[in-house]
Amino acid sequence: MLIKISLTIIFLCVMVGVGIYSRKQASSVDGFVLGGRNIGGWLTAFAFGTSYFSAVVFVGYAGQFGWKYGLSASWIGIGNAVIGSLLAWIILGRRTKLMTQYIKSCTMPDFFGTRFADEGLRVTASVIAFVFLIPYTAGVYMGISKLFEMGFGIPYTYCAIIMACLTALYVILGGYKATAINDFIQGIIMLFGITTVIAVVLQHQGGLTAAVQKMAAQVPTVHDMEDPSGLFAAFQPGDFASWFGPNPMSLLGVVVLTSLGTWGLPQMVGKFYSITDEAAIRRGTIISTLFAIVVAGGCYFLGSFGRLFPEPMFNVEKHKYAFDSIVPSMLETLPDILIALVVLLVLSASMSTLASLVLTSSSTMTLDLIYRDKKSVDGEVMSGEIDDAVAAKIEHRKVIIMRVLIVFFIVLSLMIALNPPQFIAQLMGISWGALAGAFLAPFMLGLYWRGVTPAGVWACFAWGVGLTLVNMMLHNSILNPIDCGAVAMIGGFVVVFLVSLVTKKMDKDYVDTIFKCYKK
């Protein structure tokens, strides 16, 4: 216990120390939100990866989908690396950097407002982002707190409150630069931690070959067969050790949601706003992909052996397993020093994601709702002439408001985490489905296609949020939250394309001026 406490205290002190070190660069809006748009490839790649993979993945998704799909759950990690990281950087990285820098956009709602010349889109997008980032943040709190409860014996409630306070402290102090530096440190811990834990867990099972043979012998339990989802209806012996598991189509929905979803999440796409140049983007593409292969692939590979450990509790009334307890139960038998490493691993993953979420939410509310500067096509503010002293005061006021909203957002999401309505994976599915369903298609197509219309964007907002809310109000009777999110994202492209074909086109000169950014 002394080792675990000592390592954790050192880690937390380093995080706060980085916040203090970075505070001078967080005095302006551009510095606080984007680190002055001067973040290198290594820091951006690690910031992207650590924001992507949190306790939601390590505790919630790895446990739940490892239990459901067996070894085939590893495909989720591979999809995260190839689609969620490699292709995201290749397709979005350069064009996002150039266009958002040209129109001086700091947030995704700001991009929608300026790119499509519609202030209503800007306001609506900021509300959607703020509301649906809350359940995701609550899911992160739940994941980290369950690991702390297992490793330290500290009650869940206290864990969640402590994490909220510490994350708020270093984000408020140092803004995005502190977040990026801490993400790099946290990423190193995650890489070392996941590889070590996998090696030890497999060793306890007699090695990789023996563990795979044991998985091949696994069959669904009585409670699996009681689950009304029908996942195991066509089960064949050996499916849990097969290439595609007992239900390949259901697995595909998870791969789509967790991989393609990053393309439409404000806190993920925002990483491309701040990177220095195109050379840094090329470096970041490689680094981010390798990071995802190790961390995401490792998490799901570890979780895929969950059936070799004690069966989780089953809620007869809800027909649900306590999926969030699977990974913690796998780790309980580890030596204390390794439990300390796991706690730091999940702490690193979670604090980086929390920092990214709260910074995105506070900047969106401040810049896109409270202070909505009208901009010209090239991003210049059109609010009239003001002297430098007044401009400096406004800038300072914006940063203060963002810091206040960080506290508000953390408290709100903490309240949900202390009284959670769903399992971690379901909270993330609702959040990712609504956000990526609403934002992915219009954002990506807006970078490439001049023909996207404001009406097409409005229609996609209604589609993504509407489908998620209707499905949630019907108690997920249409689709489970995971599949619903995947359908929302893919369907968004169809909605934007069809609506844009039949609605009024934007002014050609305006659009041509925006796309000049790619000719420079």
Side-chain angles (χ1 to χ4, degrees), residues 62-63 65-74 201-202 205 207-220 232 235-242 245-246 300-309 330:
F65 300 130
W67 182 266
K68 285 185 175 181
Y69 306 119
L71 294 181
S72 66
S74 301
V201 169
L202 289 180
Q205 294 297 325
L208 176 60
T209 303
V212 172
Q213 290 174 347
K214 291 178 183 177
M215 283 299 298
Q218 292 294 310
V219 294
F232 303 97
F235 174 83
Q236 297 295 323
D239 273 358
F240 288 122
S242 66
Y300 288 107
F301 181 69
L302 175 66
S304 68
F305 292 99
R307 286 184 178 266
L308 303 184
F309 294 82
M330 294 173 67

Side-chain angles (χ1 to χ4, degrees), residues 91-103 111 115 278 443-450 511-520:
I91 294 173
L92 298 181
R94 175 180 177 272
R95 295 184 82 90
T96 299
K97 164 69 179 175
L98 293 177
M99 185 175 286
T100 57
Q101 187 171 19
Y102 180 68
I103 65 176
F111 169 87
R115 164 66 178 85
E278 293 187 46
F443 182 81
M444 178 178 163
L445 292 176
L447 295 174
Y448 281 89
W449 183 31
R450 299 167 187 249
V511 176
D512 288 343
T513 303
I514 285 183
F515 274 80
K516 283 180 181 178
C517 65
Y518 298 137
K519 297 178 181 179
K520 292 187 177 182

Side-chain angles (χ1 to χ4, degrees), residues 15-36 39 47 166-183 271 274 351-352 354-360 362-363 399 402-403 406:
M15 297 300 104
V16 175
V18 170
I20 295 172
Y21 167 77
S22 307
R23 70 188 187 282
K24 290 183 179 179
Q25 299 180 43
S27 57
S28 67
V29 170
D30 205 46
F32 191 81
V33 178
L34 299 175
I39 307 298
L166 290 170
T167 304
L169 182 60
Y170 84 74
V171 178
I172 288 172
L173 284 172
Y176 183 74
K177 186 63 177 288
T179 301
I181 295 173
N182 278 333
D183 286 348
K271 302 296 186 289
S274 58
M351 287 189 71
S352 58
L354 286 173
S356 180
L357 290 170
V358 298
L359 188 57
T360 299
S362 66
S363 59
V399 174
M402 277 190 276
R403 285 172 166 148
I406 284 173

